Amino acid sequence: MSLPAVSDPSSEAFAEPELSPWEARLRGFPGHRLGKYTNVVPRDAPPAWPHFEGCLVMLFIARSGSSFLSTELEQHYDIGRMGEHMNKAHLIGDGRMQRKARRIAGSWFSFKAGIQGIITAEASGFTLVNLDRMHFLRLVRRDIVAQTISRVKALQTQQWHTHVERIAEPAYNLAELEIGVEKIAAGVDLLRQYAERTGRPSHQVVYEDLLEGSLAAAFSACDALGVPKRIEDIDRVRSVERMPRDVADEWRQRFLDEAGPKTLECIERYQQSLES
């Protein structure tokens, strides 16, 4: 009795479906988030985005100092109002953000984005229209433990901004902090890979370097990317929020004492990756 023929895995029947350019750029992004953010814009005929002379995109993970840096860049460069414009999916879906984009831009358009913003920019057609004029700043925080504590506190209390009331008090949770470290490290690496896949210029800026009294590293990166400088003083300077640091120092020491080997190795690899 002969055995049935076995199909060759390399045949067309087993071939991977060919990805579109934007799907290839988003390779590795969490599947549940791809579905969530790509479904908020019309897939057949999304409202058209304007064509910009240039676009500065700040890639970041929450609690890495993006509000501070975007405020400074707005004062020195002609990038308009830098915000998380791509997170406003309901405004993108009906075309209001596309119509507003010209009004909030300078000679260049700018926005800051994490994973959600990048997915929406791709799915809504923004990146398709403006990719060959996009330039990336990758903002990272060297102290991933401090970033994790800040993020976990915000998630627990839902106090992401100083003017918002807490809905609960923060509570130390080792498992939650360990998971947080892994998520931030993975997110930073994912955004780095995305920037590389675009083939567009990108520069890394480390938040702690900006707090030593000089913004030279950020300005040098923007100058290298060709971001146009402002020729007049800004009319209104945005205020920078400073979140309270209650329990942060106590949590930090306790976490470093209690974290497992896997988490400590993750922290070490992360810090090494920032230097490479």
Side-chain angles (χ1 to χ4, degrees):
M1 181 176 176
S2 61
L3 295 174
V6 177
S7 300
D8 180 0
S10 64
S11 68
E12 290 187 10
F14 288 85
E16 291 282 343
E18 186 172 349
L19 299 177
S20 66
W22 74 274
E23 288 173 326
R25 287 191 293 270
L26 294 177
R27 191 169 65 251
F29 277 61
H32 68 284
R33 301 189 74 176
L34 284 170
K36 179 178 179 181
Y37 301 127
T38 56
N39 290 335
V40 296
V41 291
R43 300 304 299 276
D44 296 331
W49 285 95
H51 175 292
F52 292 103
E53 177 184 337
C55 179
L56 179 65
V57 183
M58 184 192 301
L59 300 177
F60 75 104
I61 300 296
R63 320 314 283 180
S64 59
S66 67
S67 295
F68 164 74
L69 183 54
S70 62
T71 300
E72 294 294 334
L73 296 182
E74 288 172 4
Q75 296 178 58
H76 293 86
Y77 293 91
D78 193 10
I79 57 175
R81 179 68 181 264
M82 175 179 272
E84 295 181 59
H85 307 313
M86 297 300 160
N87 285 8
K88 299 176 173 64
H90 61 295
L91 301 182
I92 295 172
D94 62 18
R96 280 180 288 171
M97 182 56 71
Q98 289 86 327
R99 294 190 293 272
K100 181 182 178 182
R102 286 288 186 197
R103 300 197 303 273
I104 60 178
S107 60
W108 278 27
F109 183 69
S110 68
F111 65 93
K112 55 180 185 172
I115 291 173
Q116 174 183 347
I118 288 302
I119 294 172
T120 305
E122 289 278 7
S124 67
F126 178 91
T127 307
L128 177 66
V129 173
N130 291 288
L131 179 60
D132 61 352
R133 290 166 296 282
M134 292 172 72
H135 301 74
F136 295 93
L137 278 183
R138 296 183 293 107
L139 177 62
V140 297
R141 189 166 174 175
R142 184 178 291 115
D143 191 344
I144 192 174
V145 175
Q147 183 178 358
T148 301
I149 290 172
S150 179
R151 182 174 179 273
V152 167
K153 283 175 55 185
L155 286 168
Q156 289 181 349
T157 64
Q158 287 301 293
Q159 187 183 35
W160 296 91
H161 304 284
T162 55
H163 63 274
V164 177
E165 291 291 330
R166 291 180 174 182
I167 65 169
E169 290 302 310
Y172 178 88
N173 184 307
L174 175 61
E176 194 171 4
L177 291 169
E178 288 190 314
I179 292 171
V181 165
E182 292 181 5
K183 284 187 174 181
I184 289 175
V188 167
D189 189 55
L190 195 59
L191 292 176
R192 176 192 59 78
Q193 292 180 45
Y194 173 80
E196 291 177 354
R197 288 176 187 148
T198 67
R200 299 296 302 156
S202 76
H203 281 265
Q204 175 179 280
V205 175
V206 179
Y207 174 68
E208 284 84 356
D209 293 345
L210 307 179
L211 298 183
E212 295 176 355
S214 173
L215 291 166
F219 293 161
S220 176
C222 286
D223 292 343
L225 293 172
V227 184
K229 292 184 177 179
R230 295 181 61 86
I231 57 175
E232 76 284 343
D233 293 334
I234 194 166
D235 293 332
R236 180 173 61 86
V237 177
R238 291 169 58 195
S239 61
V240 178
E241 295 183 350
R242 300 293 185 187
M243 298 297 289
R245 286 184 50 81
D246 56 318
V247 310
D249 293 335
E250 175 189 342
W251 282 22
R252 177 188 179 85
Q253 188 55 56
R254 182 176 175 184
F255 175 71
L256 291 175
D257 289 341
E258 297 178 357
K262 180 181 176 182
T263 300
L264 295 177
E265 289 171 8
C266 179
I267 293 171
E268 184 176 358
R269 286 196 308 271
Y270 171 80
Q271 291 175 338
Q272 290 174 349
S273 73
L274 300 189
E275 306 302 325
S276 60

